[in-house]
Amino acid sequence: MNRKTLVLPAVVGLLAPALAACGGSDGGSDGGGSIVVGTTDRFIASKDAPAPLDPAYAYDVGTWNVLRQTVQTLMVQPRGEGAPVPEAAESCGFTDNGNERYACKLRSDLKFSNGDAITAADVKFSIDRALAIKADSGVFALLSTVDTVEVKGDKEVIFHLKTADATFPYKLSTPVAGIVNPDNYEKNKLRDGFEVDGSGPYVLEGEEKDGELVRAVFTRNPNYKGALKVQNNEVDMVSYEDAEAMGAALEGGDIDVMTRSMTPEQIEKLAVADGDVDLVEMPGLEIRYLAFNTEAPTVKTKAVRQAMAQLLNRDELVSAVYGSQADPLYSLVPASITGHSNAFFNKYGDPSVAKAKGLLEEADVDTPVKLTLHYTTDHYGSATKKEFEELRRQLNGSGLFQVAIEGAPWDTFVPAERNGEYDVFGMGWFPDFPDPDSYIAPFLDKDNFLKSPYANNEIRESLIPESRGEADRLAAADSLNRIQDIVAEDVPLLPLWQGKQYVAARDDVTGVSYALNSSATLQLWELGRGVSG
């Protein structure tokens, strides 16, 4: 087994140059049998979340990766990173100097997979629908700068924005901006279940069992017109209960490709073994963090949160659980993104029990502080439990905390978190797009997806709008640094680490190096069949 490391340019948000074309091939073909891809992502329709695949609701990496194959957006992130390029659109761009008017012209003969023609009115319907439904997942907030959507004829759509937003082209590349057919999606109601209708490169046919999508069959959409070059006729994505079951399926020949989430042990083993399976390492922008319900009695006092930040030893955490597969993170914005600062290291320096004790004493907080850390048992992989055991060890080892940990499956974890049942909980984040705004606004702006009670007026009213007004993201550095400094001071969230990405695949599968982009977007259209070896 061979380890192949793809080296891509550093991710620098909107500064990265756009490529001349999207898609492309690195040796695949559009023939051959179905390519079978394994994942540990679970797709469950429940009472609390009956519409997991509706673009107006979906807001996690797994469901977005289904929608990106099937629902087309006006813009798309190009192969090899860079600024977004037109996808369903023929052209898009700001038409004013203030980045407040954005116009797109649709491609000719654009159709939904059922053959219905797509018009500018369908684009307007889709955007207006997401904003009107205002789903509790919070995904609608990505479109929060939209004031009105204007249509001119069948081909032109004009977005009038409330404020300048240089990141808007990126937002039009996310599934919440996906174009849906008004015949299949009600204006003011989510579409329950696992049916998806769009104009993307594939048509979805799902296999459902007990309210869970266990197999998703993506068949090439004959009516697709866009920027992506599809390298296969069909991809089957199979959902496994855990990484061990997925790994056994790869070894047994039941799947061709293994994606997220593999265990650290699996990655280490695949990296040194020989055989007909290759491990590909790719840059990643995934982060992990602790989130606080800042109104909860146990952590309402800022000094408690600051003491946890002062005690956290990220180096030991990463070493004990993830090894070389992750790096310590000292801000919400990862190190490879323009605008990153080591705000938490600048504020707290090296871990110190004495400094943490001083913070608690100054605030008259009795010790040990008793609290529970909550985590999801199945969404980020089995290593999450070990990670929280290490966090518990560090905090309890200080003598200042008495911490318990408690895990729950994703389908019960998310509703509980949104209902404010957890005081402290662990989450991961895969960016909506590779820009610092995607690590700030979803957590700190109004209508944030965590439904956090934490609200800082300077961040919301001044700093976020200021940063979005700068098309040159380097020029936004002062605003972005100030935001990160405030987060380090108030600690509504506590960043832990940022990770790399891995895909394992049989060596007759081509395009694997492009199967994931830095935002963890699964690009199944890149996979093809080639010559083994």
Side-chain angles (χ1 to χ4, degrees):
M1 191 167 303
N2 306 308
R3 182 180 186 183
K4 299 177 180 176
T5 302
L6 176 67
V7 180
L8 294 178
V11 177
V12 290
L14 293 177
L15 290 176
L19 300 187
C22 192
S25 168
D26 69 346
S29 70
D30 61 6
S34 175
I35 297 171
V36 185
V37 175
T39 180
T40 58
D41 286 325
R42 308 287 293 277
F43 309 99
I44 298 172
S46 65
K47 180 181 178 181
D48 293 311
L53 295 183
D54 191 315
Y57 176 84
Y59 203 15
D60 66 71
V61 66
T63 53
W64 269 24
N65 279 336
V66 172
L67 292 175
R68 289 188 190 275
Q69 321 306 315
T70 52
V71 178
Q72 198 173 18
T73 49
L74 290 172
M75 303 290 285
V76 70
Q77 287 180 238
R79 187 191 207 205
E81 309 305 329
V85 297
E87 162 61 341
E90 178 181 284
S91 61
C92 283
F94 285 105
T95 60
D96 66 333
N97 293 327
N99 292 338
E100 293 182 2
R101 187 179 188 274
Y102 195 80
C104 293
K105 181 180 179 182
L106 298 183
R107 292 178 183 269
S108 299
D109 301 321
L110 204 62
K111 297 177 181 179
F112 290 109
S113 59
N114 67 357
D116 291 350
I118 296 176
T119 68
D122 297 320
V123 177
K124 175 177 169 59
F125 170 85
S126 303
I127 300 295
D128 287 347
R129 175 177 182 267
L131 288 169
I133 289 176
K134 207 171 183 178
D136 65 3
S137 65
V139 69
F140 69 92
L142 278 170
L143 304 172
S144 63
T145 55
V146 174
D147 186 11
T148 59
V149 184
E150 178 187 357
V151 169
K152 285 190 175 181
D154 287 342
K155 297 296 182 186
E156 190 173 2
V157 185
I158 302 170
F159 299 92
H160 299 276
L161 307 182
K162 299 172 185 175
T163 59
D165 188 358
T167 69
F168 191 66
Y170 274 111
K171 293 170 181 176
L172 289 182
S173 73
T174 63
V176 69
I179 307 167
V180 299
N181 193 333
D183 291 343
N184 299 322
Y185 292 82
E186 295 183 38
K187 182 178 181 179
N188 295 304
K189 184 178 182 296
L190 292 172
R191 183 179 183 179
D192 293 352
F194 300 109
E195 289 186 300
V196 181
D197 292 286
S199 56
Y202 295 101
V203 177
L204 171 66
E205 201 171 309
E207 180 183 326
E208 182 182 345
K209 182 178 180 182
D210 298 327
E212 181 173 359
L213 183 69
V214 295
R215 191 181 192 97
V217 179
F218 298 101
T219 305
R220 184 195 286 247
N221 175 11
N223 290 314
Y224 170 69
K225 291 182 182 293
L228 307 175
K229 185 174 180 180
V230 183
Q231 300 288 335
N232 56 70
N233 290 320
E234 182 180 302
V235 178
D236 294 5
M237 188 165 70
V238 182
S239 180
Y240 289 92
E241 186 173 348
D242 52 45
E244 288 73 18
M246 180 172 62
L250 183 68
E251 290 182 9
D254 295 327
I255 62 176
D256 301 298
V257 180
M258 185 162 67
T259 59
R260 64 176 304 272
S261 296
M262 291 180 261
T263 67
E265 293 77 17
Q266 284 176 322
I267 293 169
E268 289 178 5
K269 181 179 178 182
L270 289 168
V272 298
D274 292 321
D276 62 354
V277 174
D278 298 326
L279 179 72
V280 181
E281 177 187 305
M282 289 163 279
L285 296 177
E286 172 191 6
I287 68 169
R288 296 287 176 85
Y289 60 94
L290 292 179
F292 297 91
N293 177 354
T294 53
E295 292 300 316
T298 58
V299 293
K300 186 173 184 178
T301 302
K302 181 169 68 173
V304 173
R305 307 191 301 270
Q306 291 179 323
M308 293 175 68
Q310 184 64 71
L311 291 169
L312 176 60
N313 191 319
R314 293 170 177 83
D315 288 328
E316 288 187 1
L317 175 66
V318 168
S319 177
V321 184
Y322 298 102
S324 62
Q325 299 158 29
D327 294 302
L329 180 63
Y330 295 92
S331 173
L332 285 178
V333 180
S336 49
I337 289 282
T338 296
H340 162 82
S341 73
N342 285 318
F344 274 80
F345 186 82
N346 296 339
K347 171 71 176 175
Y348 299 100
D350 293 327
S352 170
V353 174
K355 290 181 180 179
K357 183 178 181 181
L359 289 166
L360 295 172
E361 288 178 345
E362 186 176 350
D364 293 324
V365 175
D366 293 332
T367 58
V369 178
K370 297 179 181 180
L371 52 82
T372 300
L373 307 183
H374 296 267
Y375 66 95
T376 173
T377 56
D378 56 353
H379 192 65
Y380 302 119
S382 59
T384 306
K385 180 180 180 181
K386 186 176 179 182
E387 177 180 336
F388 274 72
E389 290 172 342
E390 173 62 18
L391 289 170
R392 178 179 61 187
R393 184 195 69 78
Q394 289 189 18
L395 292 171
N396 289 352
S398 70
L400 302 174
F401 286 85
Q402 187 175 323
V403 168
I405 60 173
E406 186 174 308
W410 185 246
D411 60 324
T412 57
F413 177 88
V414 171
E417 173 266 309
R418 289 178 182 161
N419 290 332
E421 296 176 23
Y422 299 153
D423 295 1
V424 191
F425 54 96
M427 291 285 282
W429 182 250
F430 299 84
D432 304 321
F433 46 87
D435 183 271
D437 187 80
S438 188
Y439 292 91
I440 291 171
F443 306 107
L444 304 172
D445 207 355
K446 183 182 177 183
D447 297 320
N448 65 81
F449 91 104
L450 288 176
K451 300 193 179 302
S452 171
Y454 174 78
N456 182 286
N457 288 334
E458 182 183 0
I459 290 176
R460 291 184 178 182
E461 304 301 326
S462 299
L463 297 173
I464 289 178
E466 285 174 11
S467 69
R468 287 174 173 169
E470 299 289 353
D472 180 346
R473 303 311 277 159
L474 283 176
D478 288 345
S479 300
L480 295 170
N481 288 338
R482 174 62 181 152
I483 291 171
Q484 291 168 87
D485 288 344
I486 292 172
V487 172
E489 168 67 29
D490 292 350
V491 200
L493 305 113
L494 181 53
L496 302 174
W497 55 266
Q498 69 180 87
K500 301 172 184 177
Q501 298 187 115
Y502 299 87
V503 176
R506 303 199 174 281
D507 56 15
D508 66 337
V509 177
T510 60
V512 179
S513 296
Y514 294 97
L516 287 174
N517 69 13
S518 63
S519 299
T521 297
L522 192 58
Q523 302 175 143
L524 296 179
W525 54 85
E526 294 283 0
L527 300 176
R529 294 283 186 187
V531 178
S532 180

